Structures are given as structure tokens and as C-alpha cells.
């Protein structure tokens, strides 16, 4: 099996690139294309060498302008990359018989305060969500295209965890926005689920997969898990975000899936379990 990870230097892409080498021949792309990566700028997709794509290759598309604020503020630039360029790239890949796993977002569903699965209707919240949904709509129905809709992806290296760890280390009180609920998922479950989908494509005829953890948690509960599992000195205060924050970030998205556990072969990790895995592993590595 051949896998191409688009965005192989990113938060998810770098881990995918490394893990995929255990099951496949793997190539990766970055904008700069420094060796051993291939150059790919989704703003200029026709400059990519598509002769590198063969029938039945699996392309995992992790790259995008993902900041909701940047997508709103620099809309034309973000649309050119996230929709126009990304769609042109996918079309060229599929023309050569390549399969595409497209990483999307739970925000395509919009705000939903009750549990829902992949059959729920979409009401994209904000420009970033609208861009992801536009690409989805264009390609859903093509058997070479599958969508992974991500909730908040947790690891010791995610932005919010880094913020909390920094506050704890400095003895500062962290500001926690509330209400803000997501089905937080461990990055390792994301990696394992995507690679399982690449490996067992035909066994999962569904086109849409919700990747969220088994619990929908507020950021206050997230912070408490971090305090109990990794950051015992963490102190925080609850802050109500301004209206602009929620324009591009729904307060509540209670996403769930019966498909993800089938991909993984087990339930996704709870956040409390993932915190122990992430921080215990880091401690062990630091002592090696």
C-alpha cells in the first residue's frame, strides 16, 4: 500500500507520516518541500507532479488554513487554498485513481446541543466550516472520497494543553472559556483510525466518519482532567468569551459515532485516559 500524507509537517500530518511507515510505503508533502518531503502548495495545485500518484494510492489530506479567525479575516486567501486549490488537487488525484481521505471538522454540523451521528444535517458555523463543507459537497458520492470530521484533537502538544501547561509552570491562573463543549479525541486515536480506514477502505463503504471521543466535555472539565492527571498545580478561572469568539466556534457540538470504534477495534480513549498516556509517556521519554 502507498500513502501520501499532504501536510506531513503539521500537528496531525507529522504523526501520520511517522506511523504510516509501519504499514505502507509513505511519501509526504509540505509547502517548502524540503527533502525528504515533496513540494505542494495548495494555493498553486497545478505545480504538483501528479505522475507520482497511482491507482489505489491513498492520499490523506491534512493540510489547510485551519484558524477560524484567519479564514474569516483573510477570506479570499483562505478560500483559494481550502476550497479552490484543495478541490483542484483532489480532482487531479482522483483522475489518476487515487483514493482521498479528507480531514474535515465537526463545525460543519453547526451548534448541536444533543447527541448526533454521521446522518445529521450540516449547518456550517463560520467561514472555515463553510470551506470544509464546500469541498465535502463537491466530492461526496465519489467512491474514491471519504471524509473524517474531527472534533478537538488532544495531545500534550495541542494548543490548549500547551497553554494550560505553561500557566501551571509559571504559576499563573489560566483563563478558561465557558460554555464550550466538544467530543475531545486523543490524537493517537485519530492516527489509528485514519490508518485503519486507509488499510480497510473496502470494508467501510460509508463516506463520512465522525472522529470524536466518547465524552462531550466543557473546557472546564478538560482543565480539570489535566489538573488531576498531569498538572497538579494548575489554577484557572472561568471567562465568558465575547460574541466574536462564538461566531466561528459553536458553543456546543455533541458529536458521536458508532463507526469509529469499529475502525479502531475498541472504544476511543476518554480524555482522562489520554492525559495519562500522553504525560506518562513524555515523563518516561525524558528519563531515558
Amino acid at each position: 500500500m502507498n500513502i501520501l500524507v499532504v501536510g506531513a509537517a503539521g500537528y496531525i500530518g507529522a504523526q501520520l507520516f511517522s506511523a504510516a511507515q509501519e504499514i505502507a510505503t509513505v511519501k509526504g508533502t509540505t509547502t517548502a518541500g524540503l527533502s525528504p518531503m515533496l513540494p505542494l502548495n495548495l494555493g498553486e495545485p497545478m505545480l504538483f507532479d501528479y505522475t507520482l500518484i497511482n491507482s489505489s494510492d491513498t492520499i490523506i489530506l491534512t493540510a489547510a488554513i485551519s484558524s477560524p479567525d484567519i479564514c474569516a479575516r483573510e477570506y479570499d486567501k483562505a478560500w483559494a487554498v481550502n476550497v479552490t486549490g484543495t478541490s483542484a488537487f483532489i480532482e487531479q488525484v482522483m483522475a489518476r485513481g487515487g483514493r482521498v481521505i479528507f480531514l474535515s471538522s465537526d463545525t460543519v454540523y453547526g451548534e448541536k446541543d444533543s447527541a448526533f451521528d454521521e446522518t445529521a444535517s450540516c449547518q456550517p458555523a463560520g467561514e472555515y466550516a463553510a470551506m470544509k463543507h464546500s469541498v465535502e459537497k463537491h466530492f461526496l458520492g465519489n467512491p474514491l472520497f471519504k471524509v473524517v470530521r474531527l472534533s478537538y484533537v488532544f495531545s500534550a502538544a495541542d494548543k490548549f494543553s500547551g497553554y494550560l501547561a505553561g500557566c501551571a509552570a509559571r504559576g499563573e491562573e489560566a483563563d478558561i472559556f465557558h460554555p464550550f463543549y466538544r467530543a475531545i479525541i486523543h490524537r493517537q486515536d485519530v492516527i489509528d483510525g485514519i490508518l485503519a480506514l486507509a488499510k480497510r477502505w473496502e470494508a467501510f463503504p460509508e463516506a463520512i466518519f465522525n472522529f470524536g471521543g466518547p465524552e462531550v466535555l466543557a473546557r472546564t472539565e478538560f482543565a480539570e482532567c489535566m489538573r488531576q492527571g498531569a498538572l497538579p498545580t494548575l489554577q484557572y478561572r472561568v471567562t465568558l468569551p465575547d460574541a466574536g469568539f462564538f461566531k466561528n466556534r459553536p458553543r456546543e457540538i455533541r458529536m458521536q459515532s458508532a463507526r469509529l470504534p469499529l475502525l479502531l477495534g475498541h472504544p476511543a480513549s476518554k480524555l482522562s485516559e489520554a492525559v495519562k498516556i500522553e504525560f506518562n509517556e513524555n515523563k518516561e521519554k525524558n528519563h531515558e
Side-chain angles (χ1 to χ4, degrees), residues 1-30 33-39 58-63 103 187-188 190-192 194-195 198:
M1 182 169 61
N2 296 318
I3 288 176
L4 176 67
V5 179
V6 176
Y11 172 61
I12 293 174
Q15 296 295 312
L16 266 171
F17 181 77
S18 177
Q21 294 179 54
E22 298 181 10
I23 65 168
T25 300
V26 185
K27 294 184 176 71
T29 79
T30 63
L34 298 177
S35 182
M37 301 298 177
L38 302 170
T58 300
I59 288 73
I60 306 171
L61 218 165
T62 75
L103 268 58
R187 181 169 61 174
Q188 189 60 54
V190 172
I191 302 305
D192 292 345
I194 291 171
L195 293 181

Side-chain angles (χ1 to χ4, degrees), residues 57-119:
D57 287 357
T58 300
I59 288 73
I60 306 171
L61 218 165
T62 75
I65 297 174
S66 58
S67 165
D69 295 324
I70 292 176
C71 288
R73 187 173 62 248
E74 301 179 35
Y75 180 83
D76 291 343
K77 176 183 176 181
W79 186 275
V81 171
N82 289 352
V83 181
T84 306
T86 294
S87 296
F89 174 79
I90 293 172
E91 286 170 354
Q92 291 294 319
V93 166
M94 288 182 172
R96 298 187 63 84
R99 298 167 169 173
V100 175
I101 298 175
F102 176 67
L103 268 58
S104 187
S105 166
D106 60 358
T107 57
V108 300
Y109 289 112
E111 188 156 322
K112 294 187 184 295
D113 60 5
S114 58
F116 65 92
D117 63 13
E118 290 90 347
T119 62

Side-chain angles (χ1 to χ4, degrees), residues 1 48 51 71 76 86 130 171 189 197 222:
M1 182 169 61
F48 185 71
T51 63
C71 288
D76 291 343
T86 294
D189 285 334
L197 185 56
F222 187 144

Side-chain angles (χ1 to χ4, degrees), residues 151-173:
S151 188
Y152 190 87
V153 180
F154 163 79
S155 77
D158 78 69
K159 290 183 180 178
F160 187 57
S161 295
Y163 168 68
L164 296 179
C167 288
R170 294 187 299 270
E172 298 175 358
E173 195 173 39

